Amino acid sequence: MMDFSGGAYGGGKAGGAFDPIGFVMRPTVILRAVCWLFAIIVFACVSAEGWREENGKEYCIINRDANACNYAVGIGVIAFLASMAFIAGEYLFEQMSSVKTRKHYVLGDLGFSALWTFLYFIGFCYLTNAWGKADDPPNGEGVNNVQASIVFSFFSIFTWAGCAYFAFLRFKAGVDPSFQSTYESDPNAANQYSSYPVGSGPGTGGVEGGDQYQPSPFGGGQQQQQQQQPGVGEFEGILVKGEYAPSY
């Protein structure tokens, strides 16, 4: 059983060295490869021998039900493409540095795998019922192909259910605390900083703690001009020293 504890949804930190042997031996990768192989058998068997031509028209040998053949080919082709996509996702999973991206991938894996488990179950029941009512094809052509498609549709129910189970274990494992950033672990971190800290001391009305008042950057020019201009008292003192007597 694969251990998904620790890390972020069963994966280690991004940027680690890639181990090809370890990647191929993962249960999730092996299961995806089995799903990929079964999907080929399901749609290829029906595509190759599931159709016959009579009076210039093609018909499905599964009880002459075109929907039965199309359903088998449809779920098989989509499962084939999805299996390759998820195998590539398993390779990229360790390179995902975002915890949210990993979570979205795991949820997508869980939802798709559960859905395809259900669709394969419906397909198995549908094909089995239709094939049981069908007449034997001429010379028995296509019988083995249809039976193989039905059997591997049944096997695919369990392989996709296994994929859904592994995805559920990943989602249940969650994220190790060491993978949480400081901002994510402390949502109030952004409120610990203010634009203008209030100073302390008499007349400031601020919170005690030794913070100094920082003036607005747009008021620096006005304060310098006020400091350079002499006050009224200083101007009068200069006039007195110059023996200037004001007139009344």
Side-chain angles (χ1 to χ4, degrees), residues 1-13 25-32 90 93-94 102 105-106 109-110 161-177 179:
M1 181 62 64
M2 190 173 181
D3 184 16
F4 293 108
S5 61
Y9 296 101
K13 293 184 178 181
M25 296 302 294
R26 288 183 189 176
T28 52
V29 176
I30 295 175
L31 203 55
R32 290 295 181 190
E90 288 294 329
F93 188 78
E94 295 289 344
R102 291 190 180 189
Y105 173 83
V106 171
D109 184 5
L110 176 60
C163 293
Y165 175 70
F166 280 132
F168 173 74
L169 291 181
R170 276 181 168 175
F171 179 75
K172 186 178 179 181
V175 184
D176 189 84
F179 278 73

Side-chain angles (χ1 to χ4, degrees), residues 105-179:
Y105 173 83
V106 171
L107 289 177
D109 184 5
L110 176 60
F112 187 89
S113 299
L115 175 62
W116 238 247
T117 301
F118 175 73
L119 292 180
Y120 264 120
F121 174 75
I122 297 297
F124 169 73
C125 296
Y126 182 22
L127 294 176
T128 302
N129 182 62
W131 182 244
K133 298 178 181 179
D135 297 330
D136 293 336
N139 301 323
E141 295 179 356
V143 173
N144 293 333
N145 287 45
V146 173
Q147 291 176 348
S149 180
I150 295 174
V151 169
F152 281 95
S153 295
F154 177 74
F155 292 159
S156 296
I157 297 173
F158 299 97
T159 57
W160 282 96
C163 293
Y165 175 70
F166 280 132
F168 173 74
L169 291 181
R170 276 181 168 175
F171 179 75
K172 186 178 179 181
V175 184
D176 189 84
S178 61
F179 278 73

Side-chain angles (χ1 to χ4, degrees), residues 46-114:
V46 175
S47 298
E49 298 290 339
W51 297 89
R52 287 291 179 269
E53 186 174 350
E54 184 180 46
N55 298 327
K57 295 182 179 180
E58 287 188 344
Y59 68 93
C60 177
I61 65 175
I62 307 176
N63 199 28
R64 295 181 179 267
D65 187 357
N67 292 329
C69 288
N70 292 331
Y71 188 91
V73 173
I75 61 173
V77 170
I78 296 177
F80 168 78
L81 298 175
S83 297
M84 292 193 300
F86 280 116
I87 290 176
E90 288 294 329
Y91 168 74
L92 297 175
F93 188 78
E94 295 289 344
Q95 310 302 322
M96 298 177 185
S97 58
S98 174
V99 174
K100 291 183 179 180
T101 303
R102 291 190 180 189
K103 180 180 180 180
H104 294 160
Y105 173 83
V106 171
L107 289 177
D109 184 5
L110 176 60
F112 187 89
S113 299

